[in-house]
Amino acid sequence: MSYKNFPMVPKVIFGRGSFSQLNEVLAPKRLSIHAPFIYFIDDVFKNNLALISRISLSYEDRIIFISANEEPKTTQVDELVEDIILKSKAHPSGIIGIGGGTLLDLAKAVSIMINNDGEAKDYQGWDLVKNPAVYHVGIPTISGTGAEVSRTTVLTGPERKLGINSDYTPFDQVFLDSELTEDVPKNQWFYTGMDCYIHCIESLTGTYLNTFSETYGKMSLDLCKEIFLEGKLSKAEAQEKLMMASWHGGMSIAYSQVGIAHAMSYGLGYLLGTKHGIGNCIVFDHLEEFYPEGVKVFKQMKAKHNIELPKGICEKLEESEFDIMINVALSLEPLWENAIGENWKETITREKLRTLYNKM
Ligand code: NAD
Ligand code: ZN
C-alpha cells in the first residue's frame, strides 16, 4: 500500500469583501513590468463594475472575459496559451481565474500549459506534468465544485473528458469571498451546490473512505443539510457556509474518490454537453439503489426548492450513442471501484448502465 502525498492550497484568504485585497496580494508576485497578470473572468461579470473596478490593471496586465456556457476544452486552453505567449513581452507573472469551476479550471490548465510543451490533451491523466505552473490564483464566484481546492482541472479533449491531475495543478492562492456569489441564479445555485452534496455522499459511502476524507466529508455534508434542508440561515450565512462546504467536500474527495453519479454524468457531459452540476443531479436522482439515504435527502432538497430537473434527455438517442456514454462511464474505473468495491464488474454491466441511462 502506498499512500498519496497530496498537495494543498498554500495560501487562502477568507471573508466577505476580501476580494478588495487582491491587488495587495498580487503586487509582490509581479516578476517585472513586462510580466503581466492575466485575469480570466466569467463574462457574466463584464458589466459588473463593483467587481471589475476593484482590479487595478498595471503595465501590460489584461482581462480576458470568457463564457462559462460550455465546459473547458483542451483546444480552448491551447488557444489561450498561444494568445498569452504571443501578446506578452515576458513570461506572465500570474493567471487569476474569477468565476465558477469552468473559469477556475481554465486558469489552472493555462497556468500549467504556459510552462509545459505540447498540447493540453497530452497532459490529461495522472502526473504527466513535468514543470511547475505559472503562479495562479483562484477566486470562486459560485460554490460547490471544490475546484478551488482540488488537484485536477477537468477538460474535454478530442478523445476523453479527463482532468490534468498533478501536484502543480492546485492554486497558489485562493480567495474565498462569499459576497461574490450573491447574484448566482437559483437553479444554478442548486445544481452546483448539489455537486458538493454528491461529492460528500459518494466519498462517505465509498470503499476508499478513510478518516481524513470522512472528517471533511461529514463537515461538508452537515453544512449542505443546514443550507439546503433546514433553511434557517440568513442569505449571507448560507453563502459563507456553502463556500466552506465546497472546500471541505473538495478536501474529502481529494483523499478518496467520487462515485457513480460522477461516472455516469461524465458520459452525459461527453456526448450531450450536459454540464457537470445539472448532469450530476439528473443521474443522482435515479441512484436510490446505490445511495438510498443520499438520494432520499436529495429529493427532499429538490422539493423544498421547487427544482424541476430535465427529463427524457436520453429518449431519442441511438444505440451507438448509448454505447459512447457507457464507454466513457465504464472507463472511470476508480470511481466504480470506490462506489462498489473491487468486484464491481460483476454487477455493473453494460446492460445495467443502459437501463439507468434510459430512465434519464
Ligand atoms: P460554471 O463555472 O460552469 O458556471 C455556471 C453558471 O453560473 C455559468 O452560467 C456562470 O456564468 C454562472 N455564474 C458563476 N458565478 C456567477 C455569479 N456570481 N453570478 C451569476 N452567475 C454566475 O459552474 P460550476 O458548476 O462551478 O463549474 C462547473 C465546471 O467545474 C465543469 O466544467 C466541471 O467539469 C468543473 N469541475 C471541476 C472540478 C475540479 O476539481 N477541478 C470539480 C467539479 C467540477
Ligand atoms: Zn463534481
Side-chain angles (χ1 to χ4, degrees):
M1 170 98 190
S2 154
Y3 292 102
K4 259 194 289 196
N5 192 4
F6 172 74
M8 306 213 282
V9 173
K11 300 204 96 175
V12 189
I13 293 188
F14 174 84
R16 288 172 78 78
S18 59
F19 182 72
S20 296
Q21 283 168 244
L22 179 60
N23 301 312
E24 89 192 51
V25 168
L26 293 184
K29 298 290 176 185
R30 189 181 292 281
L31 300 172
S32 79
I33 59 166
H34 297 300
F37 284 110
I38 314 278
Y39 298 83
F40 292 172
I41 306 184
D42 187 317
D43 70 3
V44 290
F45 292 109
K46 211 164 188 169
N47 300 314
N48 186 323
L49 279 182
L51 184 133
I52 305 297
S53 67
R54 283 191 279 167
I55 299 174
S56 78
L57 297 180
S58 316
Y59 311 110
E60 326 267 321
D61 295 350
R62 281 166 69 199
I63 291 179
I64 304 179
F65 288 104
I66 300 176
S67 161
N69 289 344
E70 287 181 12
E71 297 196 340
K73 296 189 182 54
T74 56
T75 48
Q76 184 185 12
V77 171
D78 297 334
E79 283 160 21
L80 285 163
V81 170
E82 192 179 304
D83 178 75
I84 290 168
I85 290 174
L86 284 178
K87 290 192 187 146
S88 307
K89 288 191 193 135
H91 194 267
S93 295
I95 308 290
I96 299 103
I98 305 177
T102 300
L103 269 286
L104 298 181
D105 277 359
L106 280 171
K108 286 168 156 183
V110 168
S111 70
I112 289 171
M113 291 310 302
I114 290 177
N115 282 354
N116 286 276
D117 292 336
E119 298 172 71
K121 71 173 168 53
D122 307 336
Y123 295 90
Q124 285 181 286
W126 282 269
D127 301 305
L128 302 171
V129 180
K130 292 178 193 70
N131 306 318
V134 174
Y135 174 74
H136 51 302
V137 178
I139 310 181
T141 64
I142 178 169
S143 301
T145 64
E148 65 280 11
V149 71
S150 76
R151 186 184 178 272
T152 190
T153 157
V154 184
L155 303 176
T156 303
E159 276 148 43
R160 54 183 74 88
K161 182 171 176 187
L162 182 64
I164 301 182
N165 300 266
S166 84
D167 281 355
Y168 303 123
T169 310
F171 287 110
D172 298 296
Q173 169 79 58
V174 168
F175 281 72
L176 297 177
D177 179 348
S178 60
E179 247 172 34
L180 301 176
T181 67
E182 205 115 302
D183 299 326
V184 171
K186 183 179 158 209
N187 280 5
Q188 191 62 53
W189 164 79
F190 186 82
Y191 302 146
T192 301
M194 285 301 112
D195 188 22
C196 174
Y197 173 75
I198 295 168
H199 290 160
C200 296
I201 302 296
E202 293 187 331
S203 175
L204 289 170
T205 59
T207 62
Y208 289 4
L209 190 64
N210 52 68
T211 309
F212 184 101
S213 290
E214 189 180 18
T215 47
Y216 282 110
K218 278 187 175 160
M219 239 186 309
S220 179
L221 182 61
D222 285 347
L223 289 169
C224 287
K225 288 183 180 163
E226 238 187 297
I227 298 157
F228 291 101
L229 214 48
E230 294 165 19
K232 293 187 192 126
L233 303 171
S234 72
K235 211 174 164 203
E237 278 172 331
Q239 288 163 354
E240 284 213 312
K241 290 198 172 189
L242 189 52
M243 202 152 242
M244 287 321 296
S246 172
W247 183 272
H248 291 320
M251 289 297 293
S252 180
I253 45 175
Y255 223 78
S256 59
Q257 188 45 279
V258 285
I260 302 176
H262 277 74
M264 295 195 70
S265 168
Y266 272 36
L268 294 177
Y270 186 82
L271 181 77
L272 304 171
T274 314
K275 295 197 70 182
H276 188 84
I278 192 172
N280 283 352
C281 288
I282 294 171
V283 176
F284 196 67
D285 210 23
H286 296 284
L287 297 184
E288 33 304 65
E289 157 183 11
F290 302 101
Y291 304 110
E293 176 63 22
V295 175
K296 190 179 103 196
V297 172
F298 172 77
K299 288 183 190 288
Q300 288 167 0
M301 293 173 174
K302 211 176 56 158
K304 182 170 170 80
H305 299 286
N306 298 315
I307 302 289
E308 287 276 344
L309 293 173
K311 290 202 177 70
I313 63 168
C314 295
E315 222 161 50
K316 298 206 174 89
L317 297 182
E318 318 234 323
E319 271 326 299
S320 61
E321 293 176 309
F322 278 104
D323 280 337
I324 292 171
M325 293 196 297
I326 293 169
N327 291 343
V328 171
L330 288 179
S331 74
L332 297 160
E333 299 205 356
L335 282 62
W336 294 103
E337 193 180 280
N338 176 44
I340 315 267
E342 266 175 29
N343 300 327
W344 64 272
K345 288 182 182 159
E346 289 169 13
T347 45
I348 303 302
T349 57
R350 298 187 73 85
E351 296 68 49
K352 177 84 201 163
L353 295 198
R354 175 72 176 75
T355 313
L356 281 169
Y357 275 127
N358 212 40
K359 295 186 194 167
M360 296 174 193

